């Protein structure tokens, strides 16, 4: 997968976007990822953060394992924050936040062929990310979340609606506290996809959970 995919294909790929690091699961992440894929996730982001997270070679080794699982199932593999690792591995994409290196610098580093996702909270940030060359926007936290310590204020699905009204056409994924029950309203607000950590990573069956999201997001 690369940026050469058109917007519609990217929107499809973003529809059920599973995000996880090893600290979000209590069993091997490659197993959880494999189950989530079997349930129907459409994209994966490796986000290795928090106390006890892997670093250096252990992080790279885990990333390679997860990338291979994704390749085996034709699922795109995105890396959070770590531009150097994304480039070194030739990942499908990189996702950055407002506190990371700026989007335009990141775009210059990765070139045109890698997908660039940017987390935004406001319409201004969204417009800036578009101008800087983002391929998709992650908007949130939509609802209250326990998965991000330094999360901004909850903005609700209305923020996505407001972005659409202000003319932002880039693919948008909602993030933060997304559950199966809340997914229909996210879709109605104009999001192309839902990005989920805990509702899949901590689910008794990641496969079943992923499948429920897929059913709601299809068509
Ligand atoms: N960015 C905004 S909220 C969030 C991130 C990475 C965490 C989302 O995790 P969860 O468990 O799906 O609420
Ligand atoms: Mg970040």
């Amino acid at each position: 997968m690369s940026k050469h995919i058109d917007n519609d294909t990217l929107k499809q790929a973003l529809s059920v976007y599973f995000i996880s690091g090893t600290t979000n699961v209590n069993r091997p992440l490659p197993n959880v990822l494999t189950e989530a894929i079997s349930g129907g996730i459409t994209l994966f982001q490796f986000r290795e953060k928090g106390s006890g997270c892997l670093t250096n070679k252990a992080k790279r080794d885990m990333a390679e394992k997860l990338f291979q699982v994704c390749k085996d199932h034709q699922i795109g593999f995105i890396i959070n924050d770590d531009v150097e690792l994304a480039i070194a591995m030739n990942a499908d994409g990189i996702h950055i936040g407002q506190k990371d290196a700026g989007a335009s610098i990141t775009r210059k580093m990765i070139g045109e062929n890698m997908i660039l996702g940017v987390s935004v909270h406001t319409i201004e940030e969204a417009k800036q990310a578009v101008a800087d060359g983002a391929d998709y926007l992650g908007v949130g936290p939509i609802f209250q979340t326990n998965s991000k310590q330094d999360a901004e204020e909850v903005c609700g699905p209305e923020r996505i609606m407001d972005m659409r009204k202000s003319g932002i056409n880039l693919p948008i994924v909602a993030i933060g506290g997304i559950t199966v029950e809340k997914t229909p309203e996210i879709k109605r607000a104009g999001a192309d996809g839902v990005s989920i950590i805990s509702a899949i990573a901590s689910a008794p069956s990641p496969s079943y959970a992923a499948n429920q999201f897929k059913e709601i997001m299809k068509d």
Side-chain angles (χ1 to χ4, degrees):
M1 190 183 288
S2 82
K3 206 212 151 185
H4 289 303
I5 59 172
D6 57 83
N7 247 13
D8 282 346
T9 313
L10 180 56
K11 285 181 179 181
Q12 282 300 319
L14 290 165
S15 62
V16 184
Y17 186 2
F18 177 43
I19 302 175
S20 189
T22 59
T23 64
N24 301 117
V25 290
N26 52 20
R27 51 208 180 89
L29 184 53
N31 298 4
V32 174
L33 175 59
T34 303
E35 289 171 35
I37 291 173
S38 79
I41 65 157
T42 50
L43 191 63
F44 175 67
Q45 181 189 125
F46 181 44
R47 180 177 180 274
E48 188 64 5
K49 275 190 202 275
S51 79
C53 72
L54 304 176
T55 57
N56 303 318
K57 185 171 184 308
K59 178 182 176 187
R60 166 89 189 233
D61 289 348
M62 177 56 68
E64 294 285 3
K65 268 188 207 153
L66 299 167
F67 195 10
Q68 191 57 51
V69 172
C70 287
K71 282 177 184 161
D72 290 346
H73 298 89
Q74 287 96 46
I75 294 289
F77 177 77
I78 310 287
I79 290 186
N80 183 277
D81 282 5
D82 195 336
V83 185
E84 269 104 49
L85 181 60
I87 293 171
M89 292 181 66
N90 197 21
D92 296 302
I94 174 86
H95 187 98
I96 57 168
Q98 294 293 319
K99 291 170 193 142
D100 301 312
S104 64
I105 295 167
T106 305
R107 171 57 78 202
K108 285 198 186 86
M109 289 172 75
I110 63 174
E112 290 301 316
N113 289 337
M114 204 178 271
I115 296 168
L116 175 59
V118 180
S119 290
V120 297
H121 317 286
T122 64
I123 292 176
E124 289 67 38
E125 287 175 358
K127 287 188 171 162
Q128 188 62 51
V130 172
D132 288 346
D135 293 310
Y136 75 87
L137 305 174
V139 180
I142 301 290
F143 304 111
Q144 199 273 327
T145 178
N146 295 323
S147 305
K148 185 172 165 69
Q149 299 308 326
D150 58 345
E152 304 280 323
E153 236 175 273
V154 166
C155 62
E158 308 78 52
R159 184 63 51 85
I160 297 171
M161 252 185 264
D162 293 343
M163 286 184 185
R164 289 307 189 205
K165 279 186 202 142
S166 78
I168 291 163
N169 301 318
L170 216 61
I172 286 180
V173 288
I175 185 157
I178 312 281
T179 58
V180 169
E181 293 69 29
K182 286 171 173 162
T183 297
E185 61 179 301
I186 300 285
K187 205 177 157 184
R188 282 197 297 275
D192 301 292
V194 281
S195 37
I196 309 121
I197 300 181
S198 51
I200 292 179
S202 314
S205 165
S207 165
Y208 182 73
N211 198 254
Q212 287 185 298
F213 285 109
K214 180 186 161 188
E215 282 302 307
I216 298 169
M217 292 307 294
K218 77 171 182 222
D219 56 62

